[in-house]
C-alpha cells in the first residue's frame, strides 16, 4: 500500500511540474521557429548580379556612362568593362546571406499586382550596416529577375553617402546618390551605366 501511495504521489508531483509552466513548450517552439527563419537563405540577389556581370563580359556590348549632377549632364561616354565593374564593385559584392550578416536581415515576399511582379523585400535590423533595403522583382510566370533595387548608406571621414541602386535586367544600372558633407554642403548625383546597345 505504501508503494502504491509513493507511486501515486510521484505521478501527481510530475503532473504538477508539467502544468506549472504551460507556455514553456510553446515558447520554446516559437523560439525554434524564429531561430530557423533567421537562418533560412534570403533571395540570392548578389549571385544574380554576378551572373549579370558575366553576361556583360560574354556579350559584344559597349558600356555607356552618363553622369548628371544637380540635374545637369557633367560626363558621358563609353567606358571599358573593367572600369565599369570597378565602379560598382562595392554594390555587387554586398551579400546579406553571409554567415556573419544573415541574422541582421529579415525578408518578406508578396505578389504585387500593381507592378505585375513577385517582390522579395529584404530589410536590415541594424542601422549601421551599409545595405539597409533590397527589393527584388521577379516576373510572375518565368521567375526571371526584372530588377534589383538596393538602398545603401556609407559613412566616410568627411561625408555620408546615401545610394539608391537600380539594376534593370540585361539593360542598365543606375546609382542615385546624395552626398552630405560635414561642412553642410549637399550634392545630388545620378550615374547611369547602360549596356543594352551593341558595338
Amino acid at each position: 500500500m505504501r508503494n502504491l501511495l509513493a507511486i501515486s504521489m510521484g505521478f501527481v508531483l510530475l503532473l504538477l511540474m508539467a502544468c506549472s509552466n504551460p507556455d514553456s513548450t510553446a515558447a520554446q517552439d516559437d523560439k525554434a521557429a524564429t531561430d530557423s527563419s533567421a537562418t533560412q537563405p534570403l533571395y540570392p540577389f548578389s549571385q544574380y548580379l554576378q551572373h549579370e556581370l558575366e553576361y556583360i563580359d560574354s556579350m559584344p556590348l559597349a558600356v555607356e556612362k552618363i553622369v548628371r549632377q544637380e540635374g545637369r549632364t557633367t560626363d558621358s561616354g563609353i567606358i571599358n568593362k573593367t572600369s565599369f565593374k570597378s565602379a560598382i564593385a562595392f554594390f555587387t559584392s554586398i551579400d546579406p546571406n553571409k554567415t556573419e550578416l544573415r541574422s541582421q536581415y529579415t525578408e518578406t515576399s508578396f505578389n504585387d499586382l500593381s507592378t505585375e511582379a513577385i517582390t522579395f523585400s529584404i530589410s536590415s535590423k541594424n542601422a549601421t550596416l551599409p545595405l539597409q533595403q533590397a527589393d527584388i522583382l521577379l516576373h510572375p510566370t518565368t521567375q526571371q529577375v526584372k530588377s534589383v533595387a538596393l538602398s545603401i548608406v556609407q559613412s566616410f571621414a568627411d561625408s555620408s553617402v546615401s545610394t539608391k541602386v537600380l539594376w534593370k535586367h540585361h539593360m542598365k544600372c543606375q546609382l542615385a546618390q546624395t552626398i552630405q558633407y560635414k561642412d553642410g554642403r549637399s550634392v545630388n548625383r545620378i550615374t547611369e551605366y547602360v549596356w543594352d546597345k551593341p558595338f
Side-chain angles (χ1 to χ4, degrees), residues 22-38:
D23 294 331
S24 64
T25 304
Q28 288 172 356
D29 289 345
D30 287 346
K31 184 178 184 304
T34 302
D35 291 346
S36 174
S37 66

Side-chain angles (χ1 to χ4, degrees), residues 107-126:
E107 180 183 84
T108 58
S109 62
F110 53 93
N111 197 345
D112 190 341
L113 298 177
S114 64
T115 59
E116 295 185 348
I118 298 168
T119 300
F120 286 86
S121 188
I122 299 168
S123 301
S124 172
K125 297 187 283 184
N126 184 341

Side-chain angles (χ1 to χ4, degrees), residues 133-198:
Q133 180 81 21
D135 293 300
I136 305 95
L137 273 63
L138 308 183
H139 190 283
T141 305
T142 65
Q143 309 292 301
Q144 173 61 57
V145 173
K146 295 171 70 174
S147 66
V148 174
L150 309 177
S151 294
I152 296 165
V153 179
Q154 297 168 278
S155 294
F156 301 98
D158 64 340
S159 63
S160 64
V161 181
S162 174
T163 305
K164 305 288 187 186
V165 180
L166 177 60
W167 192 289
K168 300 285 277 184
H169 180 68
H170 281 10
M171 288 178 58
K172 65 181 181 178
C173 169
Q174 178 181 284
L175 313 178
Q177 296 178 304
T178 297
I179 306 163
Q180 187 68 52
Y181 292 96
K182 298 208 170 157
D183 62 9
R185 290 180 300 126
S186 180
V187 174
N188 294 304
R189 177 187 303 147
I190 295 175
T191 306
E192 196 167 57
Y193 301 94
V194 182
W195 57 83
D196 67 338
K197 303 172 183 175

Side-chain angles (χ1 to χ4, degrees), residues 83-125:
S83 297
F84 165 61
K85 287 191 284 187
S86 176
I88 62 166
F90 177 77
F91 309 113
T92 56
S93 67
I94 292 175
D95 185 0
N97 274 314
K98 288 180 179 175
T99 304
E100 65 274 19
L101 294 176
R102 175 60 191 88
S103 64
Q104 302 298 308
Y105 291 92
T106 60
E107 180 183 84
T108 58
S109 62
F110 53 93
N111 197 345
D112 190 341
L113 298 177
S114 64
T115 59
E116 295 185 348
I118 298 168
T119 300
F120 286 86
S121 188
I122 299 168
S123 301
S124 172
K125 297 187 283 184

Side-chain angles (χ1 to χ4, degrees), residues 11-100:
F11 179 74
V12 169
L13 185 60
L14 284 172
L15 192 59
L16 286 171
M17 287 175 62
C19 293
S20 65
N21 190 5
D23 294 331
S24 64
T25 304
Q28 288 172 356
D29 289 345
D30 287 346
K31 184 178 184 304
T34 302
D35 291 346
S36 174
S37 66
T39 58
Q40 292 297 313
L42 303 165
Y43 190 89
F45 70 83
S46 179
Q47 286 87 333
Y48 163 76
L49 294 178
Q50 294 306 316
H51 289 314
E52 279 286 273
L53 294 177
E54 291 168 9
Y55 164 79
I56 294 166
D57 273 342
S58 70
M59 300 294 286
L61 300 171
V63 178
E64 182 181 11
K65 176 184 177 183
I66 306 108
V67 181
R68 298 180 187 88
Q69 191 158 303
E70 304 301 341
R72 262 185 335 108
T73 299
T74 58
D75 186 24
S76 66
I78 302 298
I79 62 171
N80 63 49
K81 294 176 184 179
T82 302
S83 297
F84 165 61
K85 287 191 284 187
S86 176
I88 62 166
F90 177 77
F91 309 113
T92 56
S93 67
I94 292 175
D95 185 0
N97 274 314
K98 288 180 179 175
T99 304
E100 65 274 19

